[in-house]
Amino acid sequence: METVKKALLERTSVRRYEREAIPEETMNFIFEAIRNTPTSYNGQQFSVIDISDQELKEKLYELTGQKQLKTCNRLLIFCSDYHKMSLLAKEKGIDMPPFTDTMDGTIIGIIDASLAMMSAVVAAQAAGLGSNCVGYLRTVDPAKVAELLNLPKGVFVVCGLALGIPREQPDLKPKQSNDTVFFKNSYTDDEKKLTSDLMEYDKVVSHYNETRSGGTTHNDWCGHIIDYYRHAMDYRILDYLKAQGYDISR
C-alpha cells in the first residue's frame, strides 16, 4: 500500500491496463473508501455503478471512443442520486420536496458524487492501481448512457472512473503554481501578476506537451482548454437533466 503522500502527489491518468483482474479485496477497500466519503447533510446523494461486464464496457467505448473504457478491468460510474431518498420518503409517507428542481440540489448531488470519485481515485492509487476519470460519459450521449445503465428519474451520470493494473506510467502533468491557486483571505486583486503567472504556466504546459513521453503535441494550455469549452457549448445537458427529473428552475 502506497503512502498517502505518494498516492496524492504522484497520481497520473492511466489509459492502458494489464489483463490481470483487480483482486476483490482491493475493490472492497475502494468501495469502503467511497462509502466513507463526506457528503452534504450526510444525505449521501450519490450512487456508483460498478461495471465488469465486457459487453457493456464495449458499448460505452463505441459511444465515446475512449479506449480505456474497454481495456480497464472495472469501470465505476459515479452518479448524482435522489432516487433512493425519494423511494424511502414515499415508503415512510414523507413529502419529498422538488429539491432536484433547484440549482443547489443539482450542485449537491454533483459534489457528493465527485467527492466519492476522488476517494476512489486515492484508494486505487494507494493500492497500486491505475485510474482514469472519464467525464465524456456525462456528455457524449446522456440519454443513451442512461438507457444502457437503466438510470431512473432522479439519477444522472457525473463521471466515470476506469480502473486496472497499470500497463504504463505516464509523465506527471505540470499543474498551476501555488500563486495562481491559493489566495489568502480573499481573491487576489493583482490581476497583472495573476495574468503574468498564468502566462508562465501556459509556457510550462506547452513545453511539457512538446517533450512528454508517449506522444507529443504543440498544444498550449489556454487555447487547448478553450477549444474544449467551445466544443462543450453544443452539449444539451440541461435537456437531459430535465428528462432525468431535474427541472432546474431556481
Side-chain angles (χ1 to χ4, degrees), residues 185-203:
N185 297 320
S186 68
Y187 200 92
T188 181
D189 58 1
D190 191 348
E191 293 198 347
K192 184 176 181 179
K193 181 179 185 305
L194 178 58
T195 302
S196 176
D197 290 340
L198 290 170
M199 283 293 293
E200 285 301 312
Y201 175 66
D202 196 78
K203 293 175 184 177

Side-chain angles (χ1 to χ4, degrees), residues 24 34 54 60 63 70 83 88 100 118 127 139 161 209 211 240 243:
E24 281 305 303
I34 291 170
Q54 189 61 32
L60 293 170
L63 279 177
K70 68 174 180 178
H83 178 68
L88 183 58
T100 53
M118 195 60 210
T139 57
L161 180 66
N209 287 332
T211 59
Y240 165 63

Side-chain angles (χ1 to χ4, degrees), residues 26-197:
T26 300
M27 288 306 305
N28 288 335
F29 166 62
I30 294 170
F31 292 156
E32 288 303 298
I34 291 170
R35 289 179 58 247
N36 196 43
T37 297
T39 71
S40 296
Y41 320 125
N42 192 36
Q44 302 161 72
Q45 288 90 191
F46 75 94
S47 56
V48 184
I49 298 176
D50 172 24
I51 300 175
S52 57
D53 181 80
Q54 189 61 32
E55 183 178 352
L56 179 53
K57 288 190 291 179
E58 294 276 354
K59 289 179 179 178
L60 293 170
Y61 162 71
E62 289 169 7
L63 279 177
T64 63
Q66 302 285 306
K67 64 182 179 181
Q68 61 270 38
L69 298 184
K70 68 174 180 178
T71 61
C72 69
N73 181 250
R74 303 285 272 271
L75 174 61
L76 304 183
I77 299 186
F78 292 79
C79 302
S80 170
D81 188 348
Y82 287 96
H83 178 68
K84 292 182 289 187
M85 189 60 74
S86 296
L87 282 179
L88 183 58
K90 181 179 180 181
E91 182 68 20
K92 297 190 68 174
I94 300 172
D95 182 50
M96 179 74 173
F99 195 40
T100 53
D101 292 351
T102 69
M103 197 66 222
D104 189 46
T106 305
I107 289 172
I108 282 173
I110 293 171
I111 290 172
D112 281 3
S114 300
L115 288 172
M117 184 175 69
M118 195 60 210
S119 293
V121 168
V122 175
Q125 188 77 18
L129 299 181
S131 67
N132 180 247
C133 301
V134 187
Y136 200 29
L137 281 168
R138 181 188 72 256
T139 57
V140 61
D141 188 342
K144 182 62 177 177
V145 172
E147 177 188 341
L148 288 172
L149 301 180
N150 193 34
L151 300 185
K153 293 289 180 68
V155 180
F156 69 86
V157 171
V158 173
C159 199
L161 180 66
L163 297 173
I165 309 296
R167 195 176 183 179
E168 63 177 0
Q169 186 54 56
D171 294 339
L172 191 65
K173 290 182 180 179
K175 302 296 184 179
Q176 291 181 48
S177 68
N178 284 5
D179 287 343
T180 63
V181 175
F182 305 105
F183 307 131
K184 186 165 289 187
N185 297 320
S186 68
Y187 200 92
T188 181
D189 58 1
D190 191 348
E191 293 198 347
K192 184 176 181 179
K193 181 179 185 305
L194 178 58
T195 302
S196 176
D197 290 340

